[in-house]
């Protein structure tokens, strides 16, 4: 890592700095996937300090050349210009303003180049007021225009007020509005939420929420209103800690459309290997699915980064490919078109129950969670499919001095996509000598569908030996096996690392 940095007029109201940065990193976004990143960047920053409107302007150009072990190399270049200021006044509170312009390019063998330009403006304000400053108002406004391989426009407004009436009672009021345009599909949305939280006793907490949402898209309108009540209770009983929780959600939904197709844009998903992640709508046209990162600047490739799996009951699963560019637990956005009944209204109820019993400062925990979804009133069913489900999860977790064990079973009883899942986790970490330490991390996942069985095993072993105060030797070994419908992966990785620190 080589870095050159210079500062001019450091102690003056107007000052600026320049830098040149050259770096080579060996990174592991996933233990089994090594990538070597060579980066070159340069830029400058200008600062103007004053009492009323301090200003910060920066420019940076970055080139990344990524050599990946499991797929083709990737080259990217970004040019970023940013203007930032922060004002703090007694009457208006703290206000942040930020403008960013970004030009980017990504190239990869076998995939079309991705290039574009984005302009983003964000305004954020936080203000505390009231005789005891018990009221907190947060406001944010964000506009983003992305042009190039993918065209997006977003305008998002959020207002949030929280009032602390007493130590035990607080209320909140949220309003949000957004306008989006993605690849020629427009949508406008408004939502509100009003709620309160109350602690009747130290061990009993209550939350009550009322919310509504109105979505107007290119070919359909959707209105949603609901109310929810949740209770949480905790109590020490001898050596055990009892936790109880439950809630009920009641929601009315009405959709009106002159077309049998629905354009969904920007549906947020978190992709996990041990979970079944499905799209909200049924009867999805797989050819219209587009998966991007959370900024919409990177479009992922089907069968390289993710797979589309058609499940029973018209459901569609988005599954991460372990050797692709989507990391475990990453948030992605999905656009797609589904075929449903043009007009539909229904009531959805969701009730949940949570129970856990922990012993010895919760070193040993037994837990059970149940979530049930029903649709007691439906009009205009037609081609639309609504899911009735019982999702039960129970398991146990033990945390010892050197070991952590967890076993969990999920019974997802659904009239569309029923499945059962068994998940096991083992972690062991112990010093075997004054200078040596060993660690073992393992997991096993078994998911059973009616027409598919997915099994995955993963184990990693580490040995660390400190040879001297300035040098460390480390060896890491791992094996991953995934087997299922349209999936067969075996991967063994071994690493030897020697680190020397010289001062």
């Amino acid at each position: 890592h080589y870095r050159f940095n210079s500062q001019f007029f450091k102690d003056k109201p107007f000052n600026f700095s320049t830098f040149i940065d050259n770096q080579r990193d060996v990174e592991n976004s996933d233990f089994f996937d090594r990538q070597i990143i060579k980066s070159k960047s340069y830029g400058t920053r200008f600062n103007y300090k004053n009492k009323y409107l301090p200003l910060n302007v920066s420019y940076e150009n970055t080139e990344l050349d990524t050599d990946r072990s499991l797929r083709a190399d990737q080259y990217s270049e970004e040019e970023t210009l940013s203007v930032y200021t922060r004002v703090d006044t007694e009457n208006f509170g703290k206000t942040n303003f930020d403008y960013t312009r970004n030009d980017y390019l990504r190239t990869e063998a076998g995939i079309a180049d991705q290039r574009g330009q984005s302009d983003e403006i964000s305004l954020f304000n936080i203000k505390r007021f009231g005789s005891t400053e018990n009221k907190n108002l947060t406001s944010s406004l964000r506009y983003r225009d992305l042009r190039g391989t993918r065209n997006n426009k977003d305008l998002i407004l959020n207002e949030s007020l929280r009032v602390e009436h007493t130590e035990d009672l607080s209320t909140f009021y949220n309003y949000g509005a957004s306008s989006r345009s993605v690849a020629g599909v427009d949508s406008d949305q408004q939502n509100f939420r009003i709620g309160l939280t109350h602690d009747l006793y130290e061990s009993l907490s209550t939350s009550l929420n009322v919310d509504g949402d109105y979505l107007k898209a290119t070919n359909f309108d959707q209105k949603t209103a609901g109310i929810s009540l949740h209770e949480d209770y905790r109590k020490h009983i001898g050596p055990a800690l009892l936790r109880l929780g439950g809630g009920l959600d009641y929601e009315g939904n009405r959709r009106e459309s002159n077309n049998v197709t629905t354009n969904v844009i920007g549906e947020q998903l978190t992709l996990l290997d041990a979970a079944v992640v499905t799209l909200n709508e049924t009867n999805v046209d797989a050819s219209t699915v587009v998966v991007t990162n959370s900024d919409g600047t990177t479009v992922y490739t089907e069968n390289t980064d993710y797979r589309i799996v058609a499940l029973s009951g018209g459901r569609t699963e988005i599954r991460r490919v372990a050797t692709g560019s989507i990391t475990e637990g990453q948030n992605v956005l999905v656009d797609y078109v589904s075929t449903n009944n043009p007009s539909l209204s229904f009531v959805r109820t969701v009730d949940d129950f949570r129970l856990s019993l922990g012993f010895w400062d919760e070193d040993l925990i037994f837990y059970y969670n149940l979530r049930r979804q029903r649709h007691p009133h439906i009009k205009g069913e037609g081609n639309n499919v609504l899911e009735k489900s019982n999702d039960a999860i129970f398991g146990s977790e033990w945390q010892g001095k050197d070991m952590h064990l967890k076993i969990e079973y999920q019974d997802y009883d659904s009239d569309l996509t029923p499945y059962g899942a068994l998940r096991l986790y083992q972690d062991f970490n112990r010093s075997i000598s004054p200078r040596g330490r060993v660690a073992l991390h393992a997991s096993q996942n078994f998911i059973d569908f009616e027409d598919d069985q997915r099994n995955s095993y993963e184990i990693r072993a580490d040995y660390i030996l400190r040879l001297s105060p300035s040098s460390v030797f480390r060896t890491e070994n791992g094996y991953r096996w995934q087997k299922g419908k349209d999936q067969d992966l075996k991967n063994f990785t071994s690493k030897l690392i020697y680190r020397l620190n010289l001062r």
Side-chain angles (χ1 to χ4, degrees):
H1 184 189
Y2 306 93
R3 182 177 178 89
F4 167 80
N5 188 76
S6 61
Q7 293 181 302
F8 300 88
F9 310 111
K10 181 178 178 181
D11 299 323
K12 303 295 183 179
F14 175 80
N15 61 83
F16 68 95
S17 63
T18 61
F19 72 90
I20 300 174
D21 198 295
N22 194 327
Q23 187 167 341
R24 180 184 183 275
D25 282 333
V26 179
E27 294 185 351
N28 298 94
S29 56
D30 183 288
F31 173 82
F32 298 92
D33 185 9
R34 182 194 66 184
Q35 55 186 18
I36 300 175
I37 301 177
K38 300 175 183 177
S39 65
K40 299 178 181 179
S41 62
Y42 61 88
T44 183
R45 295 181 176 87
F46 296 87
N47 296 285
Y48 179 58
K49 302 176 183 179
N50 63 79
K51 181 178 180 181
Y52 303 101
L53 192 65
L55 193 63
N56 179 286
V57 180
S58 65
Y59 168 83
E60 183 172 344
N61 181 282
T62 302
E63 297 180 36
L64 297 178
D65 194 349
T66 306
D67 179 1
R68 298 183 289 190
S69 58
L70 299 178
R71 60 180 297 181
D73 296 349
Q74 184 183 79
Y75 170 81
S76 65
E77 182 177 358
E78 292 194 13
E79 190 175 31
T80 305
L81 173 67
S82 178
V83 180
Y84 172 80
T85 185
R86 175 175 178 174
V87 181
D88 190 353
T89 63
E90 183 177 350
N91 293 331
F92 297 99
K94 299 178 181 179
T95 304
N96 296 346
F97 172 83
D98 189 14
Y99 165 75
T100 302
R101 184 183 184 88
N102 179 266
D103 291 89
Y104 68 90
L105 167 68
R106 291 183 180 86
T107 63
E108 181 177 337
I111 299 176
D113 291 354
Q114 299 184 36
R115 64 175 69 237
Q117 185 180 82
S118 68
D119 292 281
E120 182 173 336
I121 299 174
S122 63
L123 188 65
F124 178 82
N125 176 266
I126 183 169
K127 168 69 175 175
R128 296 190 68 92
F129 59 97
S131 57
T132 59
E133 292 193 342
N134 63 321
K135 300 178 180 67
N136 189 7
L137 177 64
T138 303
S139 308
S140 66
L141 178 66
R142 177 175 177 262
Y143 172 77
R144 185 165 180 265
D145 183 10
L146 174 64
R147 305 170 300 281
T149 304
R150 187 165 177 78
N151 296 324
N152 294 10
K153 284 187 179 180
D154 298 278
L155 178 63
I156 303 172
L157 169 69
N158 279 293
E159 294 284 347
S160 178
L161 173 64
R162 185 173 186 87
V163 182
E164 298 177 357
H165 302 277
T166 65
E167 291 185 358
D168 302 326
L169 176 64
S170 63
T171 58
F172 61 86
Y173 314 85
N174 296 337
Y175 171 77
S178 65
S179 178
R180 301 196 67 198
S181 177
V182 179
V185 179
D186 300 328
S187 69
D188 296 301
Q189 189 172 12
Q190 297 186 66
N191 58 78
F192 75 90
R193 190 179 183 192
I194 301 173
L196 65 85
T197 58
H198 182 236
D199 297 328
L200 182 61
Y201 305 106
E202 183 180 353
S203 57
L204 180 63
S205 178
T206 302
S207 63
L208 176 65
N209 301 320
V210 178
D211 58 81
D213 185 277
Y214 174 60
L215 173 64
K216 182 177 178 60
T218 297
N219 57 0
F220 76 99
D221 294 349
Q222 182 170 285
K223 300 173 183 176
T224 305
I227 185 171
S228 63
L229 176 65
H230 292 264
E231 297 282 349
D232 288 284
Y233 177 78
R234 63 193 304 271
K235 185 70 174 179
H236 285 279
I237 305 175
L241 175 61
L242 173 67
R243 296 180 186 268
L244 286 173
L248 176 64
D249 296 359
Y250 184 91
E251 177 186 274
N253 191 305
R254 180 172 179 80
R255 176 183 298 168
E256 297 179 356
S257 174
N258 296 323
N259 200 330
V260 295
T261 60
T262 300
N263 294 86
V264 179
I265 56 177
E267 183 173 312
Q268 299 183 25
L269 297 179
T270 301
L271 300 188
L272 300 166
D273 291 340
V276 180
V277 182
T278 60
L279 298 174
N280 290 334
E281 300 293 333
T282 57
N283 302 320
V284 171
D285 182 353
S287 65
T288 64
V289 173
V290 178
V291 180
T292 71
N293 63 346
S294 56
D295 290 331
T297 56
T298 300
V299 180
Y300 295 113
T301 305
E302 184 182 357
N303 296 325
T304 300
D305 300 314
Y306 67 92
R307 286 192 178 95
I308 300 175
V309 183
L311 302 177
S312 59
R315 302 303 298 270
T316 300
E317 179 188 8
I318 303 296
R319 188 193 308 170
R320 182 185 84 95
V321 175
T323 56
S325 295
I326 302 176
T327 59
E328 164 76 358
Q330 180 179 331
N331 295 324
V332 298
L333 301 179
V334 186
D335 304 336
Y336 59 91
V337 175
S338 65
T339 304
N340 292 293
N341 192 49
S343 297
L344 175 74
S345 62
F346 61 89
V347 171
R348 182 175 71 100
T349 62
V350 177
D351 57 88
D352 65 273
F353 172 75
R354 304 176 301 280
L355 167 66
S356 73
L357 196 61
F359 298 89
W360 305 295
D361 293 328
E362 297 192 289
D363 287 340
L364 176 63
I365 300 177
F366 299 94
Y367 60 90
Y368 174 77
N369 300 326
L370 175 64
R371 183 181 185 273
R372 303 189 305 170
Q373 177 175 274
R374 299 290 186 271
H375 299 90
H377 303 290
I378 305 174
K379 288 184 179 181
E381 296 179 58
N383 297 325
N384 206 85
V385 180
L386 299 176
E387 184 179 32
K388 175 183 177 182
S389 63
N390 293 331
D391 188 8
I393 300 176
F394 55 91
S396 178
E397 190 170 359
W398 177 64
Q399 178 67 59
K401 179 182 178 181
D402 303 317
M403 185 175 293
H404 176 219
L405 302 176
K406 182 178 180 180
I407 180 171
E408 178 180 278
Y409 181 76
Q410 179 181 15
D411 181 13
Y412 191 78
D413 184 12
S414 163
D415 56 354
L416 299 184
T417 56
Y419 65 86
L422 176 64
R423 306 179 180 98
L424 305 171
Y425 305 91
Q426 307 90 35
D427 288 287
F428 176 77
N429 195 318
R430 186 172 184 177
S431 296
I432 58 175
S433 69
R435 294 184 176 183
R437 174 176 290 273
V438 295
L440 179 70
H441 313 278
S443 66
Q444 303 85 40
N445 295 283
F446 311 93
I447 304 178
D448 290 324
F449 290 93
E450 293 179 343
D451 60 346
D452 184 16
Q453 183 177 28
R454 304 178 193 170
N455 299 329
S456 67
Y457 304 84
E458 186 173 308
I459 183 169
R460 290 185 287 127
D462 301 348
Y463 173 66
I464 303 172
L465 178 63
R466 182 168 293 278
L467 302 175
S468 70
S470 61
S471 63
V472 175
F473 171 80
R474 182 171 186 170
T475 176
E476 301 177 348
N477 302 277
Y479 179 74
R480 169 189 277 165
W481 179 63
Q482 294 180 352
K483 181 72 173 178
K485 191 175 181 180
D486 300 325
Q487 180 175 261
D488 189 2
L489 170 68
K490 295 178 181 178
N491 186 250
F492 174 75
T493 300
S494 182
K495 306 174 186 178
L496 298 176
I497 301 168
Y498 176 72
R499 178 172 292 136
L500 177 66
N501 296 324
L502 298 179
R503 296 178 180 273

